Amino acid sequence: MSYVDEIIEAVVAKNPSEPEFHQAVKEVLNSLRPVVDANEEKYRKEALLERLVEPERQIKFRVPWVDDKGRVQVNTGYRVQFNSAIGPYKGGLRLHPSVNLGIIKFLGFEQIFKNSLTGLPIGGGKGGSDFDPKGKSDREVMAFCQSFMTELCKYIGENTDVPAGDIGTGAREIGYLYGQYKRITGRYEGVLTGKGLSYGGSLARTEATGYGLLYLTQEMLKMNGIDIAGKTAAVSGSGNVAIYAIQKAQQLGVKVLTCSDSNGWVYDPEGIDVAALKEIKEVRRARLTEYKNYRPNSEYHEGRGVWTVKVDLALPCATQNELHLEDAKALAANGVIAVAEGANMPTTMEATEYLQEQGILFAPGKAANAGGVATSALEMSQNSERLSWTFDEVDAKLQGIMVNICHNMADAAERYGFAKNYVAGANIAGFEKVVDAMLAQGVV
Ligand code: NDP
Ligand code: 2IT
């Protein structure tokens, strides 16, 4: 059996009931086959793949807090410190009822290669909890965040592990988490990113993931002789990534026809109104059913459906496994040109393969959504030098990073004979730096 197959089998056997983690490992290792085959003896001797798929450390903890009715609630907190070969662990905190260890491990594993692709010195980690911020008062969210950080603060620090936002963790949650970290440790340091501008945050971090997604998509189209201006797009989600993806798409001359949340989706033939979306989601924390009040010509549909709309570009920006094989078929039948992942692993393996077979350009999340974590690393740099850069400085760096990632993934694919297979290219390019550092640092 090949080394890759042995490891995939071992991961499935050793980590049962973690299908998302299996999926992420399979996707990465399958595309590393040519690299692994060429170095099999060395990698086996060093147990390189065994080490790569085993987190350096997994922390799981109780998070008790008191709700507004005076009842004690108990959630589970996680931090998976996956790989620190190229820098301190870096990755977001997800707050969503679906969170379990397998989800955090899949996200942490992806983060290793994503962070490597940014070209910045950050290792891979991820954390979160099954706490659901939806429908909770600010006081309840604060109580949860303070309890969560009371335990987490033992394991993080500006040079060890730097968490940030993800699903359910936005500016409000980062503020409460930071306040509690500072209160317990007495340290004013860049231990979290995505901070508010008044206490060490970076300009453009809020926009970075969505903007970065569009910078990469624009470059990928350009490499293939296509101009992004004048195209139409379907976006899923209506959170941080989706909102700023829509905003940048519009700035680049793309008409975005859809967005969604976990209940339903909006079709706006005139193009999504970003100001209305921000008001509904960022200010009022309401549902997309409200969108029609702002835009009477739009349609609201319950359930899933964004991928049934005829568009040139599909940008999944909600969650994992939200674009299935039948969605890929519908997009292809409608002539989609490119799919670029704003979310982490939003496209199922079968859907990804189908899109690639149809010759549709496909940018995987670890490349396409790397602008968020890259800008987090820029926030860490600013915190270290105790300076703040202007929006334009950060945005220009973000653009440069996304263009580089795009060329690096295309070049790596080309080098190994997978021209235009950007999934393989991103995995290989991300892996190369990590593996070099792991081999240089010995058996640790
Ligand atoms: P938000 O919490 O801001 O928004 C998430 C959006 O996705 C909401 O519209 C939400 O709908 C929807 N959603 C979440 N879970 C589900 C689900 N199970 N089914 C259907 N819809 C769902 O999160 P972000 O925008 O920050 O994150 C979106 C994706 O981007 C995630 O995959 C995240 O890991 C990834 N990402 C985020 C980065 C960041 O900087 N924030 C960086 C890189 C990747 P509802 O409100 O109804 O739950
Ligand atoms: O998935 C991701 O890259 C994020 N949620 C952002 C992580 C970060 O540290 O900014």
Side-chain angles (χ1 to χ4, degrees), residues 83-103:
N83 191 303
S84 62
I86 66 168
Y89 311 106
K90 182 83 197 87
L93 296 171
R94 178 173 291 191
L95 299 182
H96 193 272
S98 63
V99 164
N100 57 43
L101 185 61
I103 297 270

Side-chain angles (χ1 to χ4, degrees), residues 268-324:
D268 188 337
E270 290 153 23
I272 297 292
D273 179 343
V274 176
L277 198 58
K278 281 189 184 178
E279 163 91 14
I280 296 166
K281 288 292 172 184
E282 291 182 346
V283 182
R284 298 179 36 230
R285 299 181 187 274
R287 309 306 300 164
L288 277 182
T289 40
E290 308 265 319
Y291 186 83
K292 218 172 157 39
N293 301 335
Y294 296 78
R295 304 277 278 189
N297 292 337
S298 69
E299 298 168 15
Y300 176 79
H301 302 274
E302 289 289 329
R304 306 173 69 249
V306 292
W307 313 126
T308 60
V309 175
K310 180 175 167 50
V311 285
D312 302 312
L313 310 172
L315 306 173
C317 297
T319 192
Q320 65 274 1
N321 293 328
E322 51 154 321
L323 199 162
H324 309 151

Side-chain angles (χ1 to χ4, degrees), residues 138-193:
D138 286 352
R139 196 210 62 80
E140 289 176 320
V141 170
M142 182 168 70
F144 167 82
C145 288
Q146 291 183 340
S147 180
F148 183 85
M149 183 53 86
T150 301
E151 186 61 24
L152 185 69
C153 73
K154 300 168 189 166
Y155 309 101
I156 62 175
E158 62 178 344
N159 294 312
T160 48
D161 184 355
V162 183
D166 193 78
I167 290 178
T169 306
R172 174 183 60 174
E173 290 74 19
I174 294 291
Y176 294 149
L177 291 164
Y178 188 75
Q180 185 73 352
Y181 179 84
K182 183 165 63 65
R183 183 184 190 196
I184 294 174
T185 64
R187 294 174 65 86
Y188 207 110
E189 61 181 23
V191 67
L192 292 161
T193 58

Side-chain angles (χ1 to χ4, degrees), residues 94-96 98 106-107 111 114 126 134 165-169 205-206 208-209 236-243 260-263 281 286-288 316-320 322 342-346 365 369-373:
R94 178 173 291 191
L95 299 182
H96 193 272
S98 63
F106 119 63
L107 290 162
Q111 203 82 42
K114 181 196 306 194
K126 198 84 184 190
K134 232 177 275 167
D166 193 78
I167 290 178
T169 306
R205 175 61 187 91
T206 306
T209 311
S236 64
S238 51
N240 173 264
V241 180
I243 289 173
S260 65
D261 63 19
S262 52
N263 298 116
K281 288 292 172 184
R287 309 306 300 164
L288 277 182
C317 297
T319 192
Q320 65 274 1
E322 51 154 321
N344 285 308
M345 209 169 75
N369 70 38
V373 75

